[in-house]
Amino acid sequence: MREASAASRLISWYDDHARVLPWRIPPDRSRAGERPDPYHIWLSEVMLQQTTVAAVTPYFLTFTRTWPTVQALAGAADADVMAAWAGLGYYARARNLLKCARQVRDQHGGRFPTSEVELLTLPGIGPYTAAAIAAIASGARTVVVDGNVERVMLRLHNCADPLPGSKPKVRSWADAITPDQRAGDYAQAVMDLGATICTPRAPACGICPWLDDCASRKAGTAASLPRKTPKEAKPQRYGIAYLARRADGALLLETRPEKGLLGGMLGLPGGPWTETTATERPPVLARWWAASVEVRHTFTHFHLVLGVRVADVPMGTIPDVGVFHAAQDVSAENLPTVMGKALRAGLHALEARTEQQNPAPDRPVPSRARPARRTATR
């Protein structure tokens, strides 16, 4: 395979078939020398880590409307940013997002560095993200390798060595084929190829611009690649979430500690998540009731089973942790996904409990007048 020719064909394909994405400069404008806003590229790449384009797009649009520049984001309140991130998952990204924005503001004059090496000094930016920002926003020749690129390279070379052990080979192949010119467009082209044609299942080899170069297509093995080293089974952890409702309808929420899962996010108070029986740690003295359903959620490294406890408490209640929030200000959509599930389960249990304690009055059953007995006549 001639790498330069393959790269040229891929970029030509990209010119005609590039995905339209809100953070992207179209190929015709890129060819004319226009560069995208580094803030947009950084924000989108951080959001896209282990998350799909479809899920990221509305969050990206919300963030850029609310905080149109990196300086605006750097000046935002932590709670506002964490609330806007809720539901996107992997919440350490949101914490690092703020740290990075503030470092760009304070140490780089509000401008993102252009080199891969400098970008790597910023919080939350790893090798892939640094390479992507440098290539796409600055046009630097960097080797951009994400999951799509890994899949494309392993199929292109018909490599059955499992990931992650084959990563060094992938990087070497990706480096060899990355062109000096239009490196940013090439990086986006190979990612688009993996996302739209060289997909994990049922790759559309017949319309691939690298059809004639692909060794796995010739061998008939494309659909079976890449191979991965089997993962160990995820452990299961247990916890309890508490939903207290005050007499005026306000709900008790706490801001979780900065460090750890869901750090800095709003959620229902609760005890630690352990691998054995859940620990009861109610946030306020009350008569607690167990919701009829458990909440189940899967994180990267474990499965969580969360029991939900609910209680109605009087006005003037002072909790050990957390703050009461007006009911109209609390929404499952503005909480982390697992906490949104727990809130819905808790509200359902509270309503069921209320109906049980205050049943609707029986409706009167309409009486049916018995018809007069008719006397037979002859």
Side-chain angles (χ1 to χ4, degrees), residues 154-221:
L154 288 168
R155 286 174 173 173
L156 188 63
H157 293 272
N158 194 29
C159 179
D161 295 350
L163 289 166
S166 55
K167 283 179 180 285
K169 288 183 179 180
V170 168
R171 182 170 180 83
S172 176
W173 291 326
D175 189 8
I177 203 171
T178 299
D180 293 327
Q181 303 298 319
R182 296 188 67 185
D185 283 345
Y186 168 80
Q188 293 175 106
V190 71
M191 288 189 280
D192 276 13
L193 182 69
T196 63
I197 290 180
C198 196
T199 52
R201 294 183 178 85
C205 298
I207 57 173
C208 179
W210 281 348
L211 174 68
D212 295 330
D213 304 289
C214 184
S216 68
R217 196 274 306 175
K218 294 173 184 176
T221 58

Side-chain angles (χ1 to χ4, degrees), residues 267-288:
L268 274 62
W273 299 342
T274 65
E275 294 183 3
T276 55
T277 306
T279 303
E280 295 278 356
R281 190 176 292 178
V284 65
L285 184 63
R287 188 174 184 181
W288 293 95

Side-chain angles (χ1 to χ4, degrees), residues 45 53 79 89 128-129 149 176 182-183 203 210 216 231 263 268 298 303 316 335 346 372:
E45 289 297 342
V53 167
Y128 162 74
T129 305
V149 177
R182 296 188 67 185
W210 281 348
S216 68
K231 295 181 180 179
L268 274 62
T298 296
H303 302 292
L335 299 178

